[in-house]
Amino acid sequence: VVQRLFGWGPCLDPATCPFEPAQTYVDLLMTTGGLLSLCMSVNMAVWLGAKVYGREIAALTFALIVYVITNASNVDWFGSLPAWRFTAGYLLGAFFGALMRGPNISLLSQIIGPHPKAQYMGKLFAVGAVPRIIGPFLYVKMLQIPESIQSADFPHVYEGPVPRTWLLYGSQAAVFMAMLVLLQFARGPIRRHLAELSAQQALTLPLLAADSESAAAAAGGMTPS
């Protein structure tokens, strides 16, 4: 995308291409995005995760809002997409992406409750793998469908029509917006379900420490002292 939009990326023929700083911009962008994602992951592990626990729906809502905004900002509303806007959207998405993953798994684990979780987690990752497989092919097609309104000539990098981004990023913004709306509708049922699970677990807990010791002794085949 950035190769055709901004002329960033490797030369088509390195043997005849002089070095330009723009050739390193893609690597710098992806490296910075990876570091930001790592920072959020570490933050979730050592501090923020404890703050988010019990507030997973709020964290997911915030992350989805960020995704809607970043994808909408990458739409070429007036026929062009500034490089600074694309860069800001990419880095924000990379940073807050890790904020969404942890609460998502945590909330799913709580919803499943005392039931075996391996099957549910397997289905989650299997379904999540489908977009990663077909996504690249679909994204390329969605960049090619809208008719280009201008051409670009980036020496040694790209020469041809500049792709329109409204279909690609606009559709992604719409998908995340739909997810955000569905999450708000599901907020009440999810909370009620978690409250019921918590009440059921509370009823199974022993009321006194002596009862707990008796249950443990019975399970081990011993007589409590």
Side-chain angles (χ1 to χ4, degrees), residues 168-188:
L168 172 59
Y169 291 108
S171 61
Q172 290 188 99
V175 169
F176 284 117
M177 177 59 75
M179 293 169 61
L180 178 61
V181 172
L182 290 175
L183 179 62
Q184 304 316 304
F185 278 110
R187 180 191 294 263

Side-chain angles (χ1 to χ4, degrees), residues 32-43:
T32 305
L35 290 175
L36 289 174
S37 179
L38 177 62
C39 288
M40 177 57 78
S41 298
V42 172
N43 189 16

Side-chain angles (χ1 to χ4, degrees), residues 144-220:
Q144 296 173 344
I145 291 177
E147 184 178 355
S148 176
I149 59 176
Q150 56 182 326
S151 298
D153 184 8
F154 302 116
H156 307 289
V157 178
Y158 175 72
E159 180 180 356
V162 176
R164 300 294 307 276
T165 63
W166 63 265
L167 180 60
L168 172 59
Y169 291 108
S171 61
Q172 290 188 99
V175 169
F176 284 117
M177 177 59 75
M179 293 169 61
L180 178 61
V181 172
L182 290 175
L183 179 62
Q184 304 316 304
F185 278 110
R187 180 191 294 263
I190 289 175
R191 287 181 172 175
R192 288 192 294 271
H193 176 71
L194 295 180
E196 291 174 0
L197 288 178
S198 179
Q200 292 174 5
Q201 292 175 0
L203 289 175
T204 60
L205 293 176
L207 297 178
L208 300 173
D211 294 336
S212 178
E213 295 177 359
S214 298

Side-chain angles (χ1 to χ4, degrees), residues 56-109:
E56 288 85 0
I57 295 179
L60 293 174
T61 297
F62 177 77
L64 286 172
I65 291 174
V66 171
Y67 279 134
V68 171
I69 293 174
T70 54
N71 279 280
S73 69
N74 285 335
V75 173
D76 51 350
W77 297 101
F78 303 103
S80 63
L81 174 61
W84 68 265
R85 205 167 72 199
F86 179 88
T87 302
Y90 177 83
L91 296 180
L92 281 173
F95 183 67
F96 288 106
L99 174 63
M100 188 172 183
R101 287 190 291 270
N104 185 33
I105 300 298
S106 174
L107 184 61
L108 177 61
S109 179

